[in-house]
Amino acid sequence: MLDEADQRIVKALRQDGRMTNAALAEAVGLSQSACLRRLRLLEGRGVIRGYTAIIEEPQARDAVTVIVQITLDRQTEEHLSRFETAVRRLAEVRECFLMTGMADYLLRVEVRDAADYERVHKEQLSRLPGVARIQSSFAIRRVIGSRG
């Protein structure tokens, strides 16, 4: 459980993970030493697992995002594992989530255009092990990007 000061630290770092400890301490209303101690504790407890740079590749700006729901014919551990191993090999699949609800998996796929998605659908997604149904939705635009 995070106390109020830890929540302020996490919120500030989500906005700018590169801020100095001095700037972070000022932003959250702590002394620099207290802020650094809390930061190290958050890292040690695994609340903060790391820091990353989010790089937008030049071609990604022009990419079409497709949200794909996939339902498998069986949901056994073996079938899920086979599907997950195979989907990790697909370069166009940027994210994959095991889901509850109607679909078993939700994928975020990036392609050049509708024709490129048709190729990915026909040659890759439909050939993944155990796929019973694929439902695709094309994103119009991104409203909120990754926040960390």
Side-chain angles (χ1 to χ4, degrees):
M1 190 78 174
L2 299 180
D3 67 15
E4 194 174 311
D6 289 342
Q7 289 176 15
R8 289 193 312 265
I9 290 171
V10 169
K11 183 178 179 181
L13 289 174
R14 280 190 171 138
Q15 296 300 314
D16 180 4
R18 294 185 58 166
M19 67 175 32
T20 65
N21 183 62
L24 180 60
E26 184 177 333
V28 300
L30 294 172
S31 70
Q32 290 184 30
S33 60
C35 184
L36 186 59
R37 181 182 57 78
R38 284 178 171 269
L39 183 62
R40 296 296 179 240
L41 287 170
L42 289 169
E43 291 169 346
R45 290 178 23 214
V47 173
I48 297 174
R49 294 179 296 165
Y51 301 87
T52 188
I54 300 170
I55 310 298
E56 183 168 348
E57 301 171 29
Q59 68 270 22
R61 279 181 248 138
D62 299 323
V64 173
T65 299
V66 185
I67 304 302
V68 181
Q69 295 179 45
I70 294 186
T71 304
L72 301 183
D73 55 7
R74 293 188 179 166
Q75 289 76 30
T76 65
E77 187 63 35
E78 178 188 344
H79 282 80
L80 298 174
S81 180
R82 284 182 34 224
F83 175 86
E84 291 173 14
T85 298
V87 79
R88 283 185 183 99
R89 296 185 191 119
L90 304 182
E92 293 85 357
V93 176
R94 303 299 185 186
E95 295 181 278
C96 176
F97 301 91
L98 177 62
M99 304 296 292
T100 62
M102 298 297 291
D104 296 313
Y105 289 93
L106 183 83
L107 283 59
R108 182 174 64 87
V109 177
E110 288 187 2
V111 293
R112 290 185 306 277
D113 52 30
D116 192 30
Y117 180 70
E118 180 181 13
R119 176 194 59 80
V120 169
H121 184 283
K122 190 183 328 180
E123 297 175 8
Q124 297 177 358
L125 298 177
S126 64
R127 294 180 183 177
L128 288 168
V131 170
R133 187 170 58 113
I134 300 172
Q135 183 175 340
S136 308
S137 300
F138 282 73
I140 296 171
R141 69 180 161 90
R142 180 184 310 258
V143 176
I144 298 174
S146 177
R147 293 187 190 182

